[in-house]
Amino acid sequence: MKSSLLARQLQSLFGGEKDEGFRLALAQARNGNSAPLLAQLEPLIEQVDSAYAAYVNLNQWTTVLSGDALMDWNLLTGAIDVKRGWKEMLGYDKTELGDSVVQWQQLLHPEDARRFQEALAVHVERRDRWFELECRLRGKDGGWRWCLMRGAVAARDAAGQPVRLLLLQRDIASFKRTQAELIEARDLAESASQARGTFLANMSHEIRTPMNGIIGMTELALDTDLDAEQRHYLRTVKSSAESLLGIVNDVLDFSKIEAGKMDIEAVAFPVEEVIFEAVRVLAVDAHSKGLELVVDVAPGVPERLVGDPTRLRQLLLNLVGNAIKFTERGEVCVRVEIETGAAGDVLLHVTVRDTGMGIPLSKQQAIFAAFTQADASTTRRFGGTGLGLAICTKLVQLMQGQIWLESEEGKGSCFHFTARMGYVDDAGEQPDAEESFTGRRALVVEKNAGAALCLQTMLERQGIKTAVLAEPAQAVTAIDMNRTLDQAFDYLLVDVDMPAPGGMALIESWRQAGQHERVLALLTTDNQRREIGRLRELGVQVHLMKPVGRGDISAALMLLEQQGRERQSDFGPAQPEASRSLRILLVDDNPVNQEVARRLLQKQGHRIKIANHGGEAVDMFEQGSFDVILLDMQMPVMGGVEAAEAIRARELRRSWVVSREFQPIYIIAMSANAQGSDREQCLAAGMNDYVVKPLILDELHAALAKVPAAGDGNWVSASSVGGVLADGCLDLPGALANLGDVDLLVTMASMFLEDWQNYIDKLARALHARDAANSRLHAHTLKGLLAMFNAEVARAHALMIEGAMTGESQDWDEVGHEFSALQSEMARIRPQLMRFVEKRSVD
Ligand code: ADP
């Protein structure tokens, strides 16, 4: 019995597969056919017994040598069958305490008892080879002793339940002490490094202020009368101060990160714009060295991402700045793509590749450390602190990304970095290919293959079939051939800076041949000044500055289209100024106002497109071409001031691509508030003129007459048109005189009457909820509508309510009285308005 139990135990210990004879005997015994074989089995069992004794012995010796204590738990009886040294390890004598599992467990720290049970349960369940955990046991002196417990089930019953457990117990008190000391030392070191970082951050900040003073004052001094020697000294002061400031800024950033004070923002930002902004800052350096600078944004990159645009810009400035610094000829190419699109976020992957001196393999790790440069002579030649890449490394870590490098000495470098960013819902939407460009054909004549490929991809995304040639001479032949076949290209994109005969010669031949195609010149910041005049003379009005972005291409194509239309209209008879038909973008959120303005304007022969708020207006401005924008001030989503600012910002980008004199769009504000401050706000936002709502025909007319014809160039700012309103509760003749169209007034009145109660209810609800913002909005709407019919008394009440909503706190009782007065006044004018509608409709 004992032997067969041992046999089972050994089977589970050794896996039971090792000895062929042992396995055979077991199989026969299991089959109940044991009698004849018992004799054969006996010696084997004896062998097993002695092997087990040797095993236990060996184990004991092992534990003696390793300093471990050994226990053999009998899980059926709860006794500890074999025990060696576990009590002594805790300071007891071997005769003290009992030898039961319960006894051992009583010494276990309560917090560790649960972990022990869990570890054992997992081990039993998973049948791992062993389990281990650190736990505390109460020593005889009353203190806790850290022990490492390692255990394994040594036998299971037929149902698979464990019946024996072997446990090794090791004293790890000294290890734990060392560990605690190390943690303490690490914490101390960390806090010391943080303190150092904080000190550096504060110091750098303090140094920056006087540095700015030195630079600013030197600049002022340089503007005064100086002799050559003084000028030379001051220039040296200035450039030294600037490079010192650069170093201080790097140290400040670095120590801020070290001190854990660098926060990473999470805001939605336009990715491509931010990247181009950063790269363009460095374009001058690249172009002055004759380097090609290419930015290639992969098609899958969303318009907007959520992250820290400032840090992204900083990374680009560092890496692209280095690439330009360490490259003498060739190109620097920035590639932007999206790597993984897990739900909710994406990994932005930016690559900065150059054709410069490269970095030896032995230095490729080291340069990412602070104050390290690949080559000691670098500092002498190029300056720098060796902090740039260390800062980049920290920044990408903060943005949960990585930075790495591929480079071969003499063959250029390629730096990569990734950053995890949030994904904006609408971000995936790419602007659709402009229908007007689909089916068009373009030829790109560009010496740099990377830049040419980028342009080709962008044009093809606009639906334009694009061919690429690198040689001007080949291009001339291709252009000629296409003309002969009566299939002239629609667009020629010509790199001005090409080997002889050069891009300009190509453009000259285009000019002589009769300008069949529309030409887009590709310029650099270096040749722009020299070439732009000549381009104008040759009739090229739109250019693209390298590096070229998606937005630049769209803006340039749009301008070319506009130019084409202008050219076509040149053939028609000149229209007299008074009856000039304008393309007007009308921006107003109120359908009644939209209808009034539309009819008034159409009657004058103008063409109208309507946007319902500022956001739509900005989009429509980007898509279409208009002579004037009539912009309401108070609108939901995006108000007039914001919209005007956004439009002016976009124009700045357009001005980047236009060779001729750039003409910003004429914007007329429409506002129900005639106060001067409103006007000033409009003008400050870049608007040209201002009319008061409700619109009065003559005044609108007068404002539109001031819109300059294309090419006028001398737009004047702002003449205010005061609104004059007749007194009385409802002055329909006055309203008619303002609108100039009785049918229109009837329509307006019907529309107003239809929604009459709705307007009142909305205001009532907002007032009831004490919601100042909405009360103000609804009162404002009502005020505008009432003013259209010269319902002066009611308008005044609405105006009072609107005005009362502007302050910090509201007198709701007072507002309640105003609202009652407004309601009764409106009730009074309603029948009059209805009669007017009925009478006129009968007529
Ligand atoms: P700094 O440019 O101020 O010296 P960085 O940390 O930005 O400091 O760069 C460290 C070093 O790495 C540089 O001094 C240079 O030796 C090497 N290095 C960085 N970028 C490039 C590159 N694009 N090509 C060649 N060497 C580079």
Side-chain angles (χ1 to χ4, degrees), residues 322-323 325-326 354 359 367 372-374 378 384-386 388-389 413 415:
N322 275 349
K325 187 158 88 169
F326 298 111
D354 65 55
I359 300 161
I367 53 165
T372 315
Q373 296 182 319
T378 313
T385 52
L389 290 175
S413 312
F415 283 84

Side-chain angles (χ1 to χ4, degrees), residues 818-838:
E818 280 298 336
F819 182 56
S820 306
L822 171 67
Q823 274 179 302
S824 47
E825 181 60 21
M826 282 180 73
R828 207 150 69 87
I829 58 175
R830 190 161 190 250
Q832 291 180 42
L833 208 54
M834 283 168 79
R835 266 200 305 281
F836 164 69
V837 171
E838 279 163 26

Side-chain angles (χ1 to χ4, degrees), residues 622-637:
E622 282 268 79
Q623 302 300 324
S625 55
F626 299 95
D627 300 306
V628 57
I629 300 180
L630 278 171
L631 188 57
D632 187 26
M633 286 296 94
Q634 267 179 316
M635 289 178 288
V637 188

